[in-house]
Amino acid sequence: MMTVHFHNPQLAGRREMRLYACPVAQLATILEEGSPCRMKNNEHCDVILISNEGDRFPVHKTIIFCRSRGLGKLISKMSNTMVNLNMSTSILTGLLQYIYTDRVDPLKTPIALLKISVNFELPGLKNICEKALIDSITPKNVASLIWIADNFFCEALKKAGLAYLEENARSIVKTITWEVMEHVNPELFEEVCQSQG
């Protein structure tokens, strides 16, 4: 069991901290709908993550370790309690929202969060981003999304991109990604060409 503190923004004007004792696996369901962790007073936070813009995010090391092996390993390598993650405030906000609530709403940067989900070993976040990218496939971006899918082992995204190519072969826009793919990853380029018939 662990103790988790968070500020409830739905109680406008009143500062109320709720104390929960819960297994980490149940954390996301215990956090109330619409209230991502807001650690305004830094209570019980033992690490501060810093964005590229200098914004500071106090977090709980135990929660980070339990939710993300990759991020936990990175934090454990640092000797102090302040860690610059070399990512924008919006990306870090999305990452922490996922770690604390199991969702990202709104999902503004699925490609960037997809890369982070792979690096920090967050398969749930990877699935969320992959689904968002599948829903965003167009004739102009399909090659880029297949390239991303291949590089980050997103089988569902790659399969959806190849299916989209097959169904929409005449409307595909040839972008620079096609040339890059042909030269850098000819096996993938061949696979893509075969799917177009």
Side-chain angles (χ1 to χ4, degrees):
M1 297 297 234
M2 65 176 290
T3 303
V4 177
H5 293 266
F6 69 95
H7 172 69
N8 185 343
Q10 294 172 342
L11 300 172
R14 295 188 310 199
R15 288 189 71 207
E16 179 188 38
M17 295 298 288
R18 292 198 177 159
L19 179 63
Y20 291 98
C22 66
V24 174
Q26 296 175 356
L27 178 63
T29 56
I30 291 173
L31 289 172
E32 294 178 0
E33 192 67 32
S35 62
C37 189
R38 307 223 195 263
M39 297 149 287
K40 299 287 187 196
N41 63 2
N42 303 344
E43 190 173 351
H44 299 287
C45 296
D46 47 3
V47 174
I48 296 175
L49 303 179
I50 305 171
S51 71
N52 287 342
E53 295 88 347
D55 292 318
R56 295 169 184 242
F57 296 83
V59 296
H60 304 89
K61 189 184 292 186
T62 304
I63 293 173
I64 300 297
F65 274 87
C66 290
R67 297 282 289 154
S68 171
R69 287 178 43 143
L71 184 53
K73 288 176 190 175
L74 178 69
I75 290 172
S76 69
K77 291 178 184 176
M78 304 299 175
S79 59
N80 62 32
T81 60
M82 298 180 86
V83 180
N84 189 330
L85 288 182
N86 196 27
M87 64 180 73
S88 71
T89 296
S90 63
I91 301 299
L92 185 52
T93 299
L95 173 64
L96 292 176
Q97 185 183 27
Y98 175 76
I99 287 173
Y100 278 90
T101 68
D102 244 9
R103 62 185 175 79
V104 181
D105 187 29
L107 181 58
K108 296 177 183 177
T109 53
I111 293 173
L113 282 173
L114 174 69
K115 293 174 184 178
I116 288 169
S117 72
V118 172
N119 292 338
F120 290 152
E121 302 175 42
L122 291 161
L125 180 57
K126 180 181 174 186
N127 291 337
I128 290 169
C129 296
E130 197 170 356
K131 183 182 178 331
L133 292 172
I134 289 169
D135 293 342
S136 73
I137 295 174
T138 66
K140 191 172 182 176
N141 73 6
V142 67
S144 296
L145 293 179
I146 291 172
W147 178 268
I148 289 166
D150 190 64
N151 285 319
F152 293 100
F153 311 103
C154 300
E155 290 304 315
L157 177 57
K158 185 175 178 182
K159 184 177 177 181
L162 293 173
Y164 186 90
L165 281 174
E166 188 176 334
E167 295 169 10
N168 301 285
R170 292 188 176 155
S171 63
I172 300 304
V173 177
K174 299 296 182 186
T175 62
I176 190 73
T177 306
W178 292 103
E179 291 179 39
V180 172
M181 187 187 304
E182 183 177 15
H183 295 292
V184 175
N185 192 339
E187 296 85 15
L188 178 62
F189 184 75
E190 182 65 30
E191 184 180 356
V192 168
C193 289
Q194 288 175 359
S195 74
Q196 288 185 303

